[in-house]
């Protein structure tokens, strides 16, 4: 549980209205942290840690968050921001899903997963490889399983801090300065996922 | 490597978890949330909650327990039963379910699959199929309203045509419940699942017939399914999750250890 030495500070989930917000909220609360869900600029800007969740199709999601003015708010954030699943994909420059411009926080593009005859979506528990020493993955090894569910992906690049493999290698996690993202759902990935959420919340800004 | 999933299924009736044999004679197993927590802690990879009364008596699934489950467990879960509209699905997903599964309503209106896909994404649209082998016609046939035996009826769909159709409409996963095997613990219907696998390019989950650890080995090794669903063997502790997973790992099935 969170203690007085916690680095988490104020935690905010951006209300993207296109995501399963409650499961992420519950996942954070299970670890003993308080969290607020908001789409208001002042609330998001005043947070110490920010989550950008997303589920569904990139085109529809960008339409919703553009309508709420969220891109402008997020681009100005200097505190740690963690995009989850589609939220991570939206942090890149462009998605082939609906051919939409994304937030451009992390260089890269979202493309269909080349699963080489394997079933799509890539759905279920998978392990990571090429796990960097980034603090987000402290205590995480190639033995930890995470829950993935997606059909598009970001190819590995210099911004990739962990990979996963399903027909092809792809970015399980990206990082560009304070902007981080994970393709898997940490809030649905048992103890391993809880560790990643905790690592993010306890990260020193 | 992507792990094969072990999926306990909790049939829900009037807010309690129940188990029947061949869809009949339901006995109460226990309360939903403590059982969900127990299975999650035991090492289940995913849970399915199926309101077995909802479709057949025209009620929408009683949703209050969905968010109570989402609050407690840290693995994905799917809710099935009586989801007929985008709005029904939206409420359940907003309460924290990861997927919704539709069965009879998809048969009544296949467009619903496409609508759900467009609104929420392919990943959360599961189609459940109740399939019965008709010896007279020598074919697998799809049934609907199986939650209530007085209303259960055969559809005009053969199972493999329906499997193809739901994929065309945008299903993200298929749960194939082999009714001849359901609740009798004689093993999964490997022959049918093999045929289904050939017709299925999205994740395929086997359901019906699990009674022993060997049945899980067989269904993964022979039918190449992505997940295996089971109810009574877990409810009645016929199989321990940890032992099941260890045996599967020893048999070279890719499994997330407990």
């Amino acid at each position: 549980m969170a203690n007085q030495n916690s680095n988490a500070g104020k935690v905010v989930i951006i209300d993207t209205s296109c995501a399963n917000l409650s499961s992420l909220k519950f996942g954070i609360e299970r670890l003993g942290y308080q969290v607020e869900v908001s789409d208001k600029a002042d609330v998001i800007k005043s947070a110490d840690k920010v989550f950008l969740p997303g589920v569904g199709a990139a085109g529809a999601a960008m339409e919703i968050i553009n309508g709420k003015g969220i891109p402008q708010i997020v681009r100005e954030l200097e505190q740690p921001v963690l995009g989850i699943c589609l939220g991570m994909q939206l942090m890149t420059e462009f998605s082939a899903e609906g051919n939409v411009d994304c937030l451009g926080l992390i260089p890269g593009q979202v493309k269909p997963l080349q699963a080489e005859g394997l079933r799509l979506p890539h759905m279920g528990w998978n392990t990571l490889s090429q796990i960097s020493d980034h603090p987000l993955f402290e205590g995480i090894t190639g033995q930890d399983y995470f829950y993935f569910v997606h059909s598009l992906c970001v190819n590995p690049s210099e911004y990739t801090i962990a990979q996963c493999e399903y027909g092809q290698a792809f970015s399980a996690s990206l990082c560009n300065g304070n902007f981080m993202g994970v393709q898997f759902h940490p809030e649905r990935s048992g103890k391993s996922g809880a560790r990643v959420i905790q690592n993010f919340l306890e990260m020193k800004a | 490597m992507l792990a094969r999933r072990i999926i306990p299924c909790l049939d829900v009736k009037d807010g309690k978890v129940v188990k029947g044999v061949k869809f009949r004679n339901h006995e109460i197993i226990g309360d939903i949330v403590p059982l969900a927590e127990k299975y999650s802690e035991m090492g289940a990879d995913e849970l399915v909650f199926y309101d077995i009364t909802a479709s057949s008596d025209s009620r929408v699934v009683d949703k209050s327990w969905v968010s109570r489950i989402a609050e407690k467990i840290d693995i994905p879960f799917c809710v099935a039963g009586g989801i007929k509209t985008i709005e029904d699905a939206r409420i359940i997903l907003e309460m924290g379910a990861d997927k919704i599964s539709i069965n009879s309503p998809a048969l009544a209106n296949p467009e619903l699959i496409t609508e759900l896909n467009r609104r929420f994404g392919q990943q959360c649209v599961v189609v459940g199929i109740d399939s019965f082998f008709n010896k007279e016609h020598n074919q697998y046939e799809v049934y609907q309203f199986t939650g209530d035996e007085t209303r259960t009826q055969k559809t005009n769909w053969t199972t493999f045509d329906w499997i193809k159709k739901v994929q065309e409409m945008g299903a993200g996963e298929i749960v194939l419940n082999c009714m001849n095997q359901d609740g009798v613990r004689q093993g999964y219907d490997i022959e049918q699942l093999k045929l289904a696998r050939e017709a299925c390019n999205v994740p395929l989950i086997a359901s019906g017939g699990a009674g022993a650890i060997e049945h899980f080995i067989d269904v993964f090794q022979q039918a190449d399914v992505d997940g295996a669903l089971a109810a009574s063997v877990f409810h009645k502790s016929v199989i321990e999750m940890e032992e099941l997973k260890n045996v599967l790992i020893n048999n070279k099935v890719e499994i997330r250890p407990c």
Side-chain angles (χ1 to χ4, degrees):
Chain A
M1 301 303 269
N3 57 47
Q4 288 174 334
N5 300 321
S6 170
N7 295 316
K10 180 176 166 182
V11 183
V12 170
I13 300 172
I14 299 178
D15 181 1
T16 48
S17 301
C18 62
N20 188 338
L21 298 170
S22 50
S23 61
L24 177 60
K25 181 169 179 280
F26 293 141
I28 296 165
E29 287 171 348
R30 274 195 299 273
L31 293 166
Y33 300 96
Q34 289 194 323
V35 54
E36 193 175 336
V37 178
S38 178
D39 56 7
K40 294 189 174 63
D42 56 332
V43 176
I44 296 167
K45 283 177 182 168
S46 70
D48 296 286
K49 300 284 158 60
V50 177
F51 287 89
L52 179 69
V55 163
M62 279 308 297
E63 207 170 294
I64 293 169
I65 69 174
N66 280 331
K68 288 181 166 218
I70 286 171
Q72 199 185 340
I73 302 168
V74 177
R75 283 186 193 114
E76 288 172 7
L77 296 176
E78 289 174 358
Q79 57 272 54
V81 183
L82 182 65
I84 292 176
C85 196
L86 179 66
M88 179 198 91
Q89 296 184 355
L90 296 181
M91 287 176 143
T92 68
E93 294 163 306
F94 180 82
S95 176
E97 188 182 33
N99 288 318
V100 285
D101 288 325
C102 296
L103 298 167
L105 308 170
I106 303 175
Q109 299 201 341
V110 182
K111 294 175 179 166
L113 187 59
Q114 302 299 312
E116 300 295 334
L118 298 171
R119 272 83 75 174
L120 285 173
H122 173 220
M123 189 182 312
W125 298 78
N126 209 331
T127 50
L128 308 182
S129 58
Q130 314 289 321
I131 303 166
S132 73
D133 58 3
H134 191 282
L136 195 59
F137 290 98
E138 198 184 318
I140 300 296
T141 72
Q143 308 296 313
D144 289 285
Y145 280 83
F146 295 90
Y147 186 75
F148 287 84
V149 50
H150 61 119
S151 299
L152 291 97
C153 71
V154 180
N155 285 335
S157 74
E158 61 189 287
Y159 300 96
T160 301
I161 56 172
Q163 292 187 16
C164 179
E165 205 147 319
Y166 188 69
Q168 67 160 97
F170 65 87
S171 300
S173 181
L174 292 168
C175 175
N176 182 24
N178 61 314
F179 294 109
M180 290 157 260
V182 287
Q183 180 62 69
F184 53 84
H185 282 276
E187 75 280 13
R188 281 284 177 262
S189 296
K191 291 189 176 67
S192 303
R195 179 69 195 259
V196 170
I197 293 174
Q198 185 146 23
N199 285 345
F200 174 71
L201 291 173
E202 292 300 331
M203 204 175 279
K204 293 199 176 74
Chain B
M1 232 164 81
L2 182 66
R4 310 281 172 162
R5 285 173 270 157
I6 306 292
I7 309 172
C9 177
L10 291 82
D11 285 352
V12 178
K13 193 173 189 180
D14 301 325
K16 297 278 183 193
V17 176
V18 298
K19 177 60 194 168
V21 174
K22 290 204 174 179
F23 292 87
R24 276 177 251 172
N25 307 323
H26 299 109
E27 62 181 278
I28 292 172
I29 303 291
D31 290 324
I32 302 173
V33 176
L35 267 169
E37 274 186 288
K38 188 180 114 183
Y39 287 131
S40 164
E41 281 160 19
M42 273 168 27
D45 297 305
E46 190 171 322
L47 298 175
V48 174
F49 298 91
Y50 181 31
D51 191 326
I52 54 171
T53 50
S55 261
S56 42
D57 65 9
S58 307
R59 276 186 300 135
V60 167
V61 64
D62 167 23
K63 306 168 209 78
S64 61
W65 44 270
V66 176
S67 61
R68 287 190 284 129
I69 292 163
E71 234 173 278
K72 294 287 182 191
I73 69 170
D74 56 10
I75 58 171
F77 71 98
C78 178
V79 173
I83 297 162
K84 292 188 186 66
T85 64
I86 295 285
E87 181 63 10
D88 296 339
R90 187 188 63 78
I91 292 168
I92 287 165
L93 292 168
E94 253 176 29
M95 292 179 101
D98 299 277
K99 308 176 191 178
I100 46 102
S101 180
I102 56 172
N103 187 330
S104 301
L107 287 158
N109 173 25
E111 258 321 298
L112 179 61
I113 302 169
T114 311
E115 288 169 25
L116 290 167
N117 174 310
R118 288 207 187 116
R119 176 70 176 82
F120 304 109
Q122 184 190 14
Q123 79 292 333
C124 63
V125 185
V126 181
V127 175
I129 301 175
D130 290 324
S131 174
F132 190 82
F133 182 68
N134 185 326
K135 282 179 189 143
E136 239 168 78
H137 300 158
N138 194 34
Q139 64 182 8
Y140 296 97
E141 295 169 344
V142 178
Y143 277 70
Q144 68 183 140
F145 305 121
T146 53
D148 174 356
E149 61 178 302
T150 63
R151 294 193 59 211
T152 299
Q153 63 187 58
K154 187 171 92 65
T155 68
N156 292 325
W157 288 98
T158 64
T159 301
F160 306 116
D161 284 344
W162 181 234
I163 286 175
K164 284 179 193 139
K165 175 72 173 176
V166 303
Q167 290 177 90
E168 281 165 26
M169 299 306 282
E173 182 164 89
I174 292 172
V175 177
L176 184 64
N177 184 49
C178 309
M179 291 169 71
N180 307 68
Q181 305 297 112
D182 187 69
V184 295
R185 296 197 220 152
Q186 297 296 308
Y188 291 98
D189 189 340
I190 302 291
E191 291 315 307
Q192 180 174 189
L193 288 158
K194 273 187 186 169
L195 294 168
R197 176 78 282 171
E198 282 172 24
C200 184
N201 300 314
V202 298
L204 175 67
I205 310 301
S207 166
I213 288 179
E214 297 75 60
H215 299 154
F216 288 85
I217 301 173
D218 291 345
V219 79
F220 288 127
Q221 289 185 342
Q222 295 174 33
D224 188 26
V225 294
D226 298 278
L229 190 142
S232 62
V233 288
F234 297 127
H235 299 328
K236 298 191 171 169
S237 301
V238 176
I239 294 178
E240 296 301 331
M241 186 66 72
E242 193 171 1
E243 189 193 355
L244 170 63
K245 286 195 150 188
N246 287 338
V247 172
L248 285 166
I249 290 166
N250 290 339
N251 279 273
K252 307 271 183 268
V253 179
E254 184 73 16
I255 286 285
R256 177 180 75 113
C258 292

